[in-house]
Amino acid sequence: MSGKTATVLPLRDFRTAGRRTLYFTRPELNQLLGLYSRNVARGIWRDYAIDHRDGLALFSVFRHTHESAAYTIVKSAPSASGITEFTVMSGRQRLRVARSLAEALEFFRSKLSLIPAVGN
């Protein structure tokens, strides 16, 4: 060695350095899983996944396990203005952007509402 001393860094410091892990809260998970279970009961969705990326939490739903996500609900870390944003996506297409999860999930209420039968 050239006389330099090695510096030992705790792994927890390395993992969290510069990362902002974001999670869904319990009430948010209740809303997401409620929507998911209603659509499973209707035979529309069959699987889901929860992912965490730097500053993002993602809840994806699938029609079939081996396909791409039909929809992804993205929770973004608060911006400089302190506002958390929720986005409903299908692939790369942004379908709805909202300041609350309930407002973002309104997309599914209008999209999945029942249509009256013709002749009634």
Side-chain angles (χ1 to χ4, degrees):
M1 286 204 160
S2 60
K4 294 184 180 181
T5 306
T7 304
V8 177
L9 298 173
L11 186 57
R12 70 178 176 275
D13 293 346
F14 177 74
R15 285 185 178 161
T16 59
R19 289 187 56 120
R20 298 178 307 165
T21 304
L22 188 65
Y23 300 97
F24 290 107
T25 64
R26 182 174 298 265
E28 290 167 348
L29 280 174
N30 286 341
Q31 289 178 66
L32 291 166
L33 291 172
L35 173 68
Y36 171 75
S37 64
R38 285 189 299 276
N39 285 291
V40 167
R42 295 173 67 195
I44 299 171
W45 295 342
R46 300 195 193 284
D47 204 359
Y48 75 92
I50 298 174
D51 297 309
H52 305 280
R53 298 187 186 151
D54 191 22
L56 300 173
L58 300 96
F59 184 89
S60 302
V61 294
F62 301 84
R63 288 190 179 106
H64 301 285
T65 304
H66 301 292
E67 292 182 357
S68 299
Y71 297 101
T72 301
I73 295 95
V74 181
K75 177 181 180 179
S76 303
S79 61
S81 62
I83 298 171
T84 301
E85 186 174 88
F86 293 88
T87 306
V88 177
M89 301 188 70
S90 180
R92 293 178 184 237
Q93 184 179 8
R94 297 173 77 167
L95 303 173
R96 180 147 194 168
V97 179
R99 291 186 177 193
S100 73
L101 180 58
E103 185 182 335
L105 296 182
E106 284 295 320
F107 169 80
F108 296 102
R109 290 189 220 336
S110 62
K111 181 155 183 63
L112 301 174
S113 61
L114 296 175
I115 300 170
V118 177
N120 287 336

